[in-house]
């Protein structure tokens, strides 16, 4: 498994076409998830990331497998961009032993250390100081790895954000703090909870660089993360990047997003990260229109197959409840 | 009397208190416009407006602290912690500030705030969104803790909590939000804090429960073969109604606490230790505790149900206790349990 | 007691000479505190505020008794400036029934709601969101009271600071957040824990005004707080003020401040808030040199008398432990 | 063997682990340059330098989270929470993140971090700086909890905690930092987690204690008139050494737990509830719990000492239990106690 995961990661790192394909794959799996609930194949909740795929692949492309990533419950896309297979992700969502942690965690809890994905965080903001700690490891050991925290716009108002970034700044840690501003924290539009327009502006309060990035453009995301990571690797400390993006689905399974102003989705969809990146690759001659169609079809088939494999896979037994509690 | 779901009963209780007292305000994450992730504040914003019903940023320490300050200066805030685990980022304000303010003001300041939180397993939310965590609050003098077990007492206890001059934590099993039941509404429906209820009575054993385990105990004793139980729904966990429990145990001679939390650190241990100290001579068998095991709440429907103490489990354990006079092994200690 | 407290508050509010006298009184009591430990009259710890008296009187002068004040464990000066008597403060430090909460709290725990002093906070940062809550009461009730949080430079790095100010900003609450930057958080110079020069600059992250104030000048403190309070009273929301000041003593009883660079204290002492304010009042003709001497002598005598009264006062009995726990 | 104060023993334990393993790092508020407010990190910065020994901002959530991240990626951080109450602003990272990481990584990630905290009353720090608060941590699967009771086991348990692959909370009674004692230094001095010690043995009662109450129990039993006690210093509270406790109680037939925390929610209740379930037939008297009352820790030398269970109190309660076979009333329940 681990070699497949690493190969998938390497593809995203080295090949923009693979980034495109991965975005398509992420979208395909996320689109299936709601249906799985309807079919009774999953219970509980889930947080999907349709619309935010460019952030996922851009970040993963800019990082090395030895870099550490602290991600949230909205983590399916990041996990797959980092290399996890649809089987690992969907298996976890469905609670099957093929899931990335054996099916005992569920949708919010993915992990694969072979590509640097720490256990994803279901507590808002918790990953921010944890990323500082992972960066501390790199600093103490003298490697040039970096640690990345991914968190939402809503998380920028919680104490852990403030404390984690301040700590990284004062210790000059090799960390990159990436806010995925998808415009909503749960059902609340950001303007109702956050008195400033750009989260990136908070960087000034910690004396570190802050930058607003177009999160719908995988190339721009990649470039911004790569340069913040390079800065961190060379000992110049942390940065705060804000990816302006949008989530197409509701906050979680039960949310149909009735709070959205009319036309908002449509406006964002104009700049759909997958469509626009595909068009760019076609324009650059890296893909043909035919490739685009072929990728859509073959990816859907692959994802369908993974979902079916999950449905047929075993659920963890009672003993699993008692495993990995006290070593 | 009115028939409603538990989440409706909670919203009704808050609304009735807001009508009765302009100092009652409500805030929390998505409790206003969206009416609460569990719809426990349905209708409040529409009726009472944005001055009194507010959405907060995701900042539990911030808004819990704001509740402390508002309560100390005259309001009666009702705040919502969406999942009780989120108190882990805000506990200071509830336990180290609110609960101590009356003492630290020489009795001049009261902090009549309510911290409502959804608790418990059963809905597939995974191990950071499925716990009960009373243990974070028990042992905090100055704080009252309420566990609701259905629409009826959710209404009555919530109203009492809002009227109470102490900070009160109200724990709401989220698996019960959708349960329907008859509710006595109006001031007659208010249920005093500190008193247990006895939803079933019997002679052979006292089953002490609260929150989600009340229906477990009722199901177990309702179907029981050859024994009857006094089922005591604590309702208030701090201070708990020792008199009712002791009177019952003195009569039945046997005690089982039924808790949703892990064995270690669960509140049932407090009940047991008080009962053995006060009523040792009346005990005909060792008091036992039926709990979840000392593990994280697993994801997966079957696993999660297995984690929770079930009615069948209660029946089995009580049956064995009555038959042998000895404490039966926990399910996870039995041969073959883990295969 | 309450009428004396209110009269003392009124004096500070209306009369700059009273502000001078109060600063002298604060200094006199604080200077005695260490000695009380040596004499065995107090146990535990204490945090004194010599050098920060101008902040205390400037803030108290700008506020009304109906305004709410959330202050820290370093609260003796603020309490006295707000009107509490030396007896109430020293009684609490010494654990006597004459103390402001009856002697069961100790040095870190003062309170007198008749002048708006909420129970002082021994947990760093805790008072910041609590002040937001007190401001909420004013907003909901439609009064024009304000709430003030006083906290240290060190506290500006804790989550409660971030969450409390952000909440006040988004709700446009009538609050004034006042950082007493006395250059150290416990034994750590601020530059080792905080990556920016001015805490006031963090205001931008919340879209509210931030201002650096000379905390050694009682008039400037008064003016800044009064204008921030006026802004809050008129519905224009919260502000963040940073008072640059200095604590002459160590952090707490056991600290002799060995970490201080040589000459630092002496440099700050050049601008001692009491001396300079006294000189100004003399220059303005409001006091004479003789008054200055007289105030020193009479204040010392009054404080000595209060301390003696405390020493003779009863300690709370066992029953007090069981009072004010559950109403 | 070396004679040292408890704070020196802690610093020595950390230093020895830092020498043995370059992954051990230390951080907390004023632990580096100032060597810790209680001098529990004396010498560390000088020997190991600023890369491994660091002062943090006042940001417990931040640095506790950093410890989680550092531990998950290969370091072994030792962090200091100056007063355990400050965990109220950081509990999430210890209990909801660190303790669950191994589970949430399918066993692939360990979080070998140590959270040291000073605990307890007796030094006049007032009610927000004098508690023990084990209750915040007990009942958190995946977390170990250690209570040290003097220089010897402070050294040995701290080293074991640093070597352990789980997150470990080490609770240090601050009233004992200045106590001197003989310490077995070196790897022979390492004391395995999960095992209790028996600093005194006897026949009439088992006194289960930990942290500051160990010396209380030793003083009480040392001076006892007409009875002898097995004094069991739990050392590790989670998981606690049930075997040692049960074996002792089966022999003595009586149990008293002696705790510094308030009666409600104290860990002794866990011990009692397990003992009554497992050894009911061996009990000759009701197990009792000797604790502080359910109040805030008062300021004032005499009051604070009165708050804590004293050796005299232990002697009185045990004497009465032996004489009457019944649980004696708590001191605060007795006639005239509050005048
Ligand atoms: C401390 C905490 N508070 C509240 C929640 C509930 N919650 C889960 S996701 C969420 C919204 C987070 O919004 P944002 O940070 O913008 O991330 P997004 O979901 O948009 O990716 C909330 C309130 C939580 N998990 N943790
Ligand atoms: C949450 C928390 N962490 C740590 C402490 C211990 N502590 C008490 S005062 C203090 C320093 C605070 O510095 P600052 O905010 O600058 O205020 P100052 O003492 O200088 O007035 C510390 C670390 C505490 N009381 N609360
Ligand atoms: Mg968002
Ligand atoms: Mg300071």
């Amino acid at each position: 498994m681990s070699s497949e995961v690493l190969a998938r990661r390497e593809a995203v790192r080295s090949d923009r076409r693979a980034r495109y394909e991965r975005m398509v794959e992420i979208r395909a799996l996320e689109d299936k998830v709601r249906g799985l609930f309807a079919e009774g194949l999953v219970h509980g909740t889930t947080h999907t990331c349709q619309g935010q795929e460019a952030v996922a692949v851009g970040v993963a492309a800019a990082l090395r497998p030895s870099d550490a990533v602290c991600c949230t419950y909205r983590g399916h896309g990041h996990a797959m961009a980092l290399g996890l297979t649809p089987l690992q992700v969907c298996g976890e969502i469905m609670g099957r032993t093929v899931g990335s942690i054996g099916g005992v965690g569920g949708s919010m809890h993915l992990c694969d250390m072979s590509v640097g994905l720490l256990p994803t965080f279901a507590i808002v903001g918790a990953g921010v100081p944890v990323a500082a700690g992972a960066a501390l490891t790199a600093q103490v050991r003298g490697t040039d790895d970096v640690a990345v925290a991914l968190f939402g716009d809503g998380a920028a108002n919680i104490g852990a954000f403030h404390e984690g970034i301040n700590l990284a700044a004062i210790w000059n840690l090799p960390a990159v703090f990436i806010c995925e501003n998808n415009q909503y924290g749960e059902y609340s539009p950001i303007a109702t909870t956050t008195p400033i327009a750009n989260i990136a502006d908070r960087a000034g309060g910690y004396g570190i660089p802050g930058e607003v990035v177009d999160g719908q453009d995988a190339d721009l995301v990649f470039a911004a993360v790569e340069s913040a990571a390079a800065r961190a690797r060379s000992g110049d400390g942390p940065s705060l990047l804000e990816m302006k993006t949008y989530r197409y689905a509701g906050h979680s399974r039960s949310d149909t997003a009735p709070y959205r102003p009319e036309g908002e989705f449509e406006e964002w969809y104009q700049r759909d990260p997958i469509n626009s990146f595909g068009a760019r690759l076609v324009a650059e001659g890296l893909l043909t229109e035919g490739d685009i169609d072929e990728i859509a079809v073959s990816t859907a088939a692959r994802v369908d197959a993974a979902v079916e494999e999950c449905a047929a896979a075993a659920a963890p037994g009672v003993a699993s409840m008692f495993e990995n509690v006290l070593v | 009397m009115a028939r409603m779901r538990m989440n409706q009963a909670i919203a009704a209780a808050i609304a009735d208190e807001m009508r009765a007292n302009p100092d009652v305000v409500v805030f929390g994450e998505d409790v206003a416009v969206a009416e609460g992730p569990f719809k426990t504040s349905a209708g409040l914003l529409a009726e009472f407006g944005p001055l009194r019903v507010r959405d907060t940023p995701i900042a539990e320490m911030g808004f819990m602290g704001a509740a402390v300050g508002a309560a100390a200066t005259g309001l009666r805030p009702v705040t919502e912690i969406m999942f009780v685990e989120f108190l882990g980022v805000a506990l200071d304000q509830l336990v180290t500030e609110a609960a101590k303010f009356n003492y630290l003001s020489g009795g001049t300041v009261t902090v009549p705030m309510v911290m409502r939180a959804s608790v418990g397993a059963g809905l597939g939310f995974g191990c950071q969104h499925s716990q009960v965590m009373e243990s974070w609050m028990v042992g905090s003098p100055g704080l009252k803790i309420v566990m609701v077990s259905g629409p009826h007492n959710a209404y009555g206890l919530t109203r009492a909590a809002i009227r109470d001059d102490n900070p009160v934590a109200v724990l709401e099993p989220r698996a019960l939000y959708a349960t329907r039941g008859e509710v006595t509404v109006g001031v007659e429906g208010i249920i005093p804090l500190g008193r247990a209820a006895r939803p079933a009575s019997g002679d052979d054993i006292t089953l002490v429960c609260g929150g989600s385990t009340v229906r477990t105990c009722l199901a177990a004793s309702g179907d029981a073969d050859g024994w009857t139980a006094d089922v005591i729904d604590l309702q208030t966990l701090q201070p708990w109604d020792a008199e009712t429990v002791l009177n019952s145990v003195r009569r039945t001679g046997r005690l089982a606490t039924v808790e949703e939390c892990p064995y270690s650190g669960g509140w049932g241990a407090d009940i047991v230790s008080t009962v053995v100290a006060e009523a040792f001579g009346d005990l005909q068998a060792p008091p036992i505790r039926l709990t979840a095991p000392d593990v994280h709440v697993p994801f997966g429907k079957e696993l999660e149900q297995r984690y929770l103490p079930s009615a069948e489990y209660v029946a089995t354990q009580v049956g064995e206790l009555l038959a042998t006079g000895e404490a039966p092994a926990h399910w996870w200690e039995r041969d073959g349990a883990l295969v």
Side-chain angles (χ1 to χ4, degrees), chain A, chain B:
Chain A
M1 179 70 82
S2 182
S3 67
E4 182 187 354
V5 171
L6 278 168
R8 282 168 53 85
R9 174 63 167 283
E10 195 43 45
V12 162
R13 276 168 53 73
S14 56
D15 180 358
R16 284 167 70 230
R17 283 171 309 192
R19 293 176 204 168
Y20 174 77
E21 287 188 30
R22 194 62 52 82
M23 287 200 280
V24 173
E25 181 183 273
I26 294 169
R27 177 78 54 90
L29 181 61
E30 293 291 55
D31 282 346
K32 290 216 76 157
V33 168
R34 189 180 292 265
L36 296 176
F37 281 98
E39 290 175 54
L41 284 168
V42 198
H43 84 141
T45 189
T46 192
H47 307 77
T48 62
C49 71
Q50 294 99 325
Q52 304 181 210
E53 296 90 347
V55 183
V57 299
V59 170
L63 301 177
R64 308 171 183 161
S66 56
D67 295 329
V69 178
C70 295
C71 180
T72 72
Y73 49 88
R74 199 177 302 288
H76 311 159
H78 286 290
M80 285 194 275
L82 290 169
L84 278 77
T85 63
L87 191 72
Q88 279 179 297
V89 172
C90 185
E92 199 52 48
I93 296 172
M94 291 173 64
R96 305 302 159 109
T97 50
V98 294
S100 86
I101 63 163
V104 297
S107 170
M108 299 200 274
H109 297 296
L110 305 172
C111 174
D112 191 329
M113 292 300 277
S114 73
V115 284
L117 182 65
L118 274 77
T120 54
F121 294 84
I123 303 294
V124 166
V128 177
V130 174
L136 178 66
T137 299
Q139 190 184 64
V140 169
R141 291 191 164 168
T143 69
D144 65 351
D145 291 332
V146 302
V148 166
L150 289 152
F151 51 92
D153 44 292
N157 294 326
I158 206 162
F161 162 94
H162 180 67
E163 297 191 15
I165 297 183
N166 187 65
L167 188 70
I170 197 76
W171 285 356
N172 201 39
L173 296 174
V176 183
F177 298 101
I178 304 178
C179 178
E180 287 189 84
N181 181 349
N182 62 8
Q183 315 303 324
Y184 292 89
E186 212 175 74
Y187 321 135
S188 292
I190 176 171
T192 64
T193 59
T194 311
I196 53 170
N198 295 321
I199 305 277
D201 291 348
R202 289 194 169 156
Y206 313 104
I208 63 171
E211 188 186 343
V212 173
V213 180
D214 178 359
Q216 302 311 82
D217 184 326
D219 287 330
L220 293 177
V221 172
F222 169 78
V225 178
E226 183 168 66
S227 99
R231 182 184 152 86
R233 292 188 210 287
S234 62
D236 292 333
S239 317
L240 173 61
L241 305 178
E242 177 182 3
M243 305 294 167
K244 300 282 192 188
T245 183
Y246 193 73
R247 72 164 148 71
Y248 292 168
H251 166 69
S252 64
R253 175 207 172 186
S254 53
D255 175 31
T256 55
Y259 42 80
R260 264 188 208 163
E262 207 161 332
E264 188 183 78
F265 166 77
E266 290 72 14
E267 198 175 310
W268 278 92
Y269 192 74
Q270 301 286 316
R271 303 200 298 114
D272 180 71
I274 299 179
N275 290 347
S276 55
F277 196 62
R280 185 181 301 161
L281 295 190
V282 170
E284 290 179 21
L286 285 169
L287 289 179
T288 65
E289 290 290 352
D291 291 338
I292 298 277
D293 295 340
E294 191 283 318
I295 288 170
V297 172
S298 65
T299 304
R302 219 173 51 244
V303 166
D304 285 353
V307 172
E308 266 168 48
E309 193 177 338
C310 289
V318 175
S320 68
M321 202 191 301
F322 296 84
E323 284 161 13
N324 309 322
V325 179
L326 277 184
V327 182
Chain B
M1 294 281 272
R3 195 168 169 77
M4 47 180 103
R5 292 183 194 273
M6 191 171 89
N7 55 358
Q8 293 168 326
I10 292 164
I14 300 171
D16 284 345
E17 285 303 313
M18 292 187 83
R19 285 178 202 121
N21 187 343
D23 288 331
V24 178
V25 297
V26 169
F27 48 88
E29 291 157 18
D30 291 312
V31 299
V33 177
E35 305 192 317
F38 300 107
K39 297 287 172 210
T40 47
S41 43
L44 300 184
L45 176 64
E47 180 171 351
F48 303 103
L51 203 60
R52 292 175 68 194
V53 182
R54 298 176 183 226
D55 289 322
T56 65
I58 307 171
E60 285 79 4
M61 183 72 89
F63 74 74
M64 196 63 54
V68 177
T73 52
L75 299 183
R76 303 185 89 82
V78 179
T79 63
E80 175 172 304
I81 293 283
M82 202 184 300
F83 287 75
V84 74
E85 283 93 342
F86 309 162
L87 253 194
V89 306
L91 199 63
D92 180 69
Q93 289 290 347
L94 188 65
V95 161
T96 311
E97 316 303 337
K100 297 191 199 298
F101 256 42
N102 190 246
Y103 185 77
L104 288 179
S105 65
T108 61
V109 178
T110 55
V111 182
M113 64 184 269
V114 171
M115 187 286 303
R116 300 175 36 247
S118 83
V119 303
L123 300 185
F125 286 124
C127 79
Q128 293 181 330
H129 283 69
S130 299
Q131 300 168 96
V132 185
M133 303 309 333
E134 310 97 341
S135 55
W136 286 352
M137 290 165 267
V138 176
S140 292
L143 179 68
K144 291 188 177 174
I145 306 171
V146 164
M147 306 185 291
V148 307
S149 59
H152 176 71
N153 73 7
Y155 178 86
L157 293 165
T158 300
R159 289 200 67 174
I162 297 172
R163 289 176 175 224
D164 201 281
D165 274 342
N166 295 287
V168 183
V170 180
L171 308 181
E172 304 166 356
R174 70 182 72 83
L176 302 184
Y177 279 133
T179 3
R180 276 180 214 280
E182 292 297 325
V183 174
T184 307
V185 291
V187 285
E188 321 78 78
I190 296 176
I191 298 174
L193 303 190
R195 290 208 216 131
R198 191 199 325 247
S201 37
D203 300 321
D204 301 302
I205 189 164
T206 301
L207 297 178
V208 175
C209 49
S212 71
T213 62
V214 175
R215 59 173 183 171
T216 314
C217 289
L218 289 174
S221 68
D223 287 348
D225 209 11
W227 52 270
T228 61
D230 244 13
V231 175
I232 298 195
D233 176 355
L234 284 181
Q235 299 194 125
T236 301
L237 179 57
Q238 188 167 287
W240 60 279
D241 185 350
E243 194 186 328
T244 297
V245 172
L246 285 167
N247 284 342
S248 173
V249 177
R250 288 199 174 103
R251 198 167 54 71
T252 64
R254 295 181 193 85
L255 167 69
T257 62
V258 185
E259 306 157 59
E260 186 176 328
C261 40
Y263 182 77
S264 295
W267 53 260
D270 264 54
I271 313 286
V272 169
S273 77
T274 297
V275 166
V276 294
E278 305 281 322
F280 193 67
D282 297 309
L283 290 171
Q284 294 168 36
I288 59 173
R289 294 178 54 216
L290 310 183
T291 69
D294 281 344
V295 303
H296 303 299
V297 183
F299 177 72
K301 231 179 206 145
E302 294 74 26
L303 279 190
E304 202 175 358
Q305 288 307 327
R306 193 88 181 85
Y307 169 87
L308 291 169
S310 65
E312 298 68 42
Y313 180 54
V314 173
T316 305
Q317 301 297 94
V318 171
E320 282 195 28
L321 179 75
L322 288 167
T324 65
E326 292 194 3
H330 304 297
W331 67 261
W332 56 88
E333 292 170 350
R334 297 178 182 235
D335 283 345
L338 306 191
V339 292

